[in-house]
């Protein structure tokens, strides 16, 4: 977990390296940034002070698995984050198979509340498809049925091979078919 001093140095580095570019973006992600919410808040406060001194404009994004969302955290996110990525792997059975039984039911109401507070903009639900949910178009349609208007699904990426959820070359025809299915659904 990055400490606040390191994060401030990263902000300083970004400003120093940005030249004449005025608009700068910082994404808080990896692991779960809400586990270090104090560092996130301190980094945002620091960047807000620096943007005035250096004629910069910071946009922040945060990615969360939703477990630690609460009213106070939602307020901070809605005030300071230009975008929010709501990380959920898919339908209940898909998500809970990857993240633990009961997680879907715990995070879904929090995600719906945050999306509603943001007016269905400046967020997206981010799913991950694996060898275990090659029918990922069903996940996208599930999110749409729940009222989420911004969705992204991406393939699992793993550093070490050998996981039972790993995507393989033989999965490509089904993956392509799912993308084609989604294209038809979007047109409808």
């Amino acid at each position: 977990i990055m400490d606040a001093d390191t994060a401030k140095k990263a902000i300083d580095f970004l400003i120093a390296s940005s030249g004449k570019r005025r608009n700068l973006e910082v994404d808080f992600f990896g692991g779960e940034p809400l586990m270090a919410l104090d560092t996130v808040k301190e980094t945002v406060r620091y960047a807000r002070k620096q943007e005035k001194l250096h004629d910069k404009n910071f946009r922040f994004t945060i990615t969360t698995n939703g477990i630690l969302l609460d009213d106070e955290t939602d307020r901070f996110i809605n005030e300071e984050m230009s975008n929010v990525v709501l990380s959920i792997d898919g339908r209940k059975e898909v998500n809970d198979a990857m993240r633990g039984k009961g997680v879907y039911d715990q995070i879904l109401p929090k995600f719906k509340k945050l999306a509603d507070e943001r007016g269905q903009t400046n967020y997206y639900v981010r799913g991950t498809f694996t060898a275990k949910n090659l029918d990922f178009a069903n996940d996208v349609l599930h999110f749409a049925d729940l009222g989420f208007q911004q969705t992204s699904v991406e393939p699992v990426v793993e550093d070490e091979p050998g996981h039972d959820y790993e995507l393989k070359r033989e999965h490509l025809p089904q993956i392509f078919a799912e993308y084609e299915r989604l294209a038809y659904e979007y047109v409808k």
Side-chain angles (χ1 to χ4, degrees):
I1 295 178
M2 184 181 291
D3 62 55
D5 288 337
T6 303
K8 289 176 184 177
K9 288 177 184 173
I11 295 294
D12 292 340
F13 175 80
L14 178 57
I15 291 169
S17 302
S18 64
K20 293 181 181 182
R21 176 172 288 172
R22 186 167 189 278
N23 295 316
L24 307 176
E25 296 196 22
V26 174
D27 295 343
F28 297 100
F29 72 97
E32 175 53 46
L34 296 185
M35 291 178 68
L37 186 57
D38 289 344
T39 297
V40 172
K41 287 180 175 181
E42 192 169 338
T43 304
V44 169
R45 277 192 302 270
Y46 181 76
R48 292 289 182 229
K49 289 178 186 173
Q50 297 306 307
E51 69 185 351
K52 292 179 179 101
L53 296 173
H54 300 281
D55 192 32
K56 301 293 182 181
N57 178 45
F58 278 95
R59 287 177 34 102
F60 297 100
T61 296
I62 195 163
T63 299
T64 180
N65 64 23
I67 297 291
L68 298 175
L69 286 174
D70 58 27
D71 289 343
E72 181 182 335
T73 304
D74 286 359
R75 271 191 299 281
F76 171 75
I77 288 172
N78 289 331
E79 288 171 7
E80 295 293 351
M81 299 295 148
S82 298
N83 197 12
V84 180
V85 180
L86 307 171
S87 182
I88 183 171
D89 285 329
R91 297 156 285 170
K92 180 176 179 165
E93 61 273 12
V94 171
N95 189 77
D96 286 0
M98 293 302 292
R99 298 188 186 207
K101 186 176 180 177
V103 171
Y104 177 93
D105 290 334
Q106 186 178 358
I107 63 173
L108 185 66
K110 295 177 181 188
F111 283 176
K112 289 175 87 173
K113 178 180 177 284
L114 190 57
D116 288 344
E117 289 171 351
R118 295 180 75 80
Q120 289 292 336
T121 61
N122 299 322
Y123 81 90
Y124 67 94
V125 173
R126 185 200 180 277
T128 302
F129 65 88
T130 71
K132 293 185 173 194
N133 68 316
L134 291 172
D135 63 345
F136 60 88
N138 290 331
D139 296 312
V140 173
L141 297 173
H142 174 72
F143 296 143
D145 288 344
L146 291 171
F148 293 110
Q149 296 178 10
Q150 313 293 326
T151 303
S152 168
V153 290
E154 300 174 27
V156 67
V157 177
E158 183 60 58
D159 291 336
E160 299 177 20
H163 296 279
D164 61 348
Y165 55 81
E166 178 182 2
L167 294 171
K168 298 182 176 160
R169 183 170 297 281
E170 60 261 24
H171 296 134
L172 288 175
Q174 188 170 354
I175 292 169
F176 296 153
E178 288 295 293
Y179 277 120
E180 191 163 328
R181 180 176 168 217
L182 284 174
Y184 284 116
E185 289 295 329
Y186 281 123
V187 169
K188 285 197 303 191

